[in-house]
Amino acid sequence: MSYRKTLKLICGFAGGSAVLVFAAAAADSRGYFGEQRGGEAAGRWSRLAVLRAAQPAWTPASHTPASTGHAWDFNWDKRDPSALTNGKKTTATPATEDPSSEQDNSKPKATRNILLIRHSQYNLSGTMDKERILTPLGREQAEFTGQRLAALGLKYDVMIHSSMARATETANIISKHLSGLGVELVSCDLLREGAPIEPVPPVTHWKPDAVQYHEDGARIEAAFRRYIHRADPKQKEDSYEIIVCHANVIRYFVCRALQFPPEGWLRMGLNNGSITWLTIRPSGRVALRTLGDAGFMPPDKLTRT
């Protein structure tokens, strides 16, 4: 049997043990299958037997993903109108009124789109926040991000940014590309970088102390509750909001919004100037449209510092 035919046979049995498959190929090349002229059929079946033995037994029970058993919490933001009406328990209404009218009026009707932008590359050698300004490459990255946001053609309602220097500078550069839209710039201390929660699995290169987790975690969770939630019932149209902040904050927000274990935030990576897009439906459903999208930048402009 030729080498090319052996490879084709191997490729036809994807998912098995690579060690056994290649051992079968090596054995065939040395004539260990005992193929003789006139014994083509016997040799072929002998090879198939070895290759099939390399495949694990397949049953639906052994390959069907198992559910974790955790149902989606539709009241994750404490704004589910079926549970609360205007933040209070529903009260009896007069007999002349529709008993469901109060609840209907409290139901959100619009979708919120939240675009989380990681700040651009900055000066890592700065000892104080005011010294950690964007590098020349970082300013280029912010320009690319601004151009991308403008090209999407969305009607942005507001741009909220962390009060740290690198996030503020990134937001200011982006805003120049959205100047015709009248996007309001708002600074927020809650969005500053920090240690949201001790990551699992732990890492050796970054170990904040317990006090930092305690303080930063409460602040970043407060930022999540302020900005990541379904629309107010009074909001009539879908909204598009930009938040310029930091990698740790964004990754924690994503885990919390998707109801993933928040301690898994460090398992994700985000490029500087990248766009992460969350969509929150009136029902409380959340979708992640993009995570760390930076495909609009040239490859030589990508960084993660």
Side-chain angles (χ1 to χ4, degrees), residues 20-94:
L20 288 177
V21 168
F22 282 104
D28 175 69
S29 68
R30 290 169 171 78
Y32 294 155
F33 284 121
E35 181 178 346
Q36 302 292 334
R37 188 173 299 179
E40 178 69 25
R44 184 185 303 115
W45 285 110
S46 178
R47 287 187 290 276
L48 284 173
V50 172
L51 292 173
R52 284 172 177 167
Q55 311 304 309
W58 185 92
T59 63
S62 64
H63 285 74
T64 301
S67 171
T68 61
H70 299 297
W72 179 263
D73 177 12
F74 280 93
N75 195 30
W76 59 273
D77 58 353
K78 308 306 177 188
R79 296 169 187 248
D80 184 354
S82 65
L84 296 173
T85 299
N86 295 326
K88 299 179 181 179
K89 293 182 178 180
T90 56
T91 57
T93 56

Side-chain angles (χ1 to χ4, degrees), residues 122-133 164-166:
Y122 67 102
N123 174 29
L124 290 171
S125 62
T127 56
M128 302 174 63
D129 179 60
K130 64 180 182 180
E131 298 173 349
R132 295 179 176 178
I133 58 175
M164 299 187 82
R166 54 189 182 272

Side-chain angles (χ1 to χ4, degrees), residues 206-229:
W206 186 71
K207 287 190 173 182
D209 56 32
V211 174
Q212 185 176 352
Y213 280 124
H214 180 72
E215 295 178 351
D216 290 354
R219 172 178 55 77
I220 295 172
E221 173 64 20
F224 174 82
R225 298 186 185 192
R226 174 178 293 187
Y227 297 116
I228 313 298
H229 55 77

Side-chain angles (χ1 to χ4, degrees), residues 210-257:
V211 174
Q212 185 176 352
Y213 280 124
H214 180 72
E215 295 178 351
D216 290 354
R219 172 178 55 77
I220 295 172
E221 173 64 20
F224 174 82
R225 298 186 185 192
R226 174 178 293 187
Y227 297 116
I228 313 298
H229 55 77
R230 76 192 78 191
D232 187 274
K234 297 178 181 179
Q235 182 177 323
K236 304 301 181 184
E237 299 181 354
D238 294 351
S239 60
Y240 296 87
E241 304 156 49
I242 301 171
I243 298 179
V244 182
C245 53
H246 310 269
N248 295 359
V249 177
I250 294 172
R251 292 180 286 187
Y252 177 79
F253 280 9
V254 168
C255 288
R256 285 281 284 109

Side-chain angles (χ1 to χ4, degrees), residues 31 79 83 95 116 131 159 162-163 180 228 275 299 302:
R79 296 169 187 248
L116 301 161
E131 298 173 349
M159 185 189 303
S162 158
S163 57
I228 313 298
I275 301 173
L302 297 176

